[in-house]
Structure formats: C-alpha cells, structure tokens
Amino acid sequence: MLLALDTATDRASVAVGRAGVALAAETIVGARRHAAQVLPAVEACLDRTGAVIRDLEGILLADGPGSFTGLRVGAAVAKAGLGAVVYGGL
C-alpha cells in the first residue's frame, strides 16, 4: 500500500493505493489549510481502504514547484508523522 501526498499548491491531495491504482483520495481546497487537514485526509483514505499506517510500504511526496510552506507540511507529515520510506524530494 502506498500513500501519495501533494501539498505544493492551494489544492492539496492525498491518495492511498497500489501500483498505479488509487483506492481512496481526498482533496483539500484553500490556502493555509494543509497543516490542519492533511492528517485527517490521510486517516480518511486509510479508513476507506481498511488499511492502517503500518500497512504503508512507502510514501510518494510531490516536491513542487509550489509553496515552500506547503511543501514543508507534506514533507513533515511524510518523514516524521508516518514513519514509512519517502520517495520524492525534500
């Protein structure tokens, strides 16, 4: 199971899936909402797939171009909050 995070722009997205197939996805619309909404979006996607964080084999992290603060939110969630292997920049 893979988690994909894109927090580079005002429209952030979170998806959980396997090898090219998204099984669940959430979109966050609006600037300055990423920090508060990314983890609940991850939880919602995991709940819909019946997965838990330890089921994640990796995290795909979009690395821009975009808002530096938005990118840092995605990187912080990926690296510190979830503990899986991170693929992407930052």
Side-chain angles (χ1 to χ4, degrees), residues 42-59:
V42 169
E43 184 176 350
C45 287
L46 290 172
D47 286 347
R48 270 190 253 131
T49 62
V52 294
I53 289 174
R54 69 178 166 271
D55 294 333
L56 296 175
E57 299 165 24
I59 300 170

Side-chain angles (χ1 to χ4, degrees), residues 7-8 61-64 67-76 78-79 86-90:
T7 58
L61 179 62
D63 59 0
S67 157
F68 181 67
T69 299
L71 292 169
R72 289 188 312 175
V73 168
K79 291 181 179 180
V86 177
Y87 303 95
L90 300 180

Side-chain angles (χ1 to χ4, degrees), residues 2-6 13-17 42 58-62:
L2 296 169
L3 171 68
L5 298 172
D6 184 351
S13 58
V14 174
V16 172
V42 169
I59 300 170
L60 308 173
L61 179 62

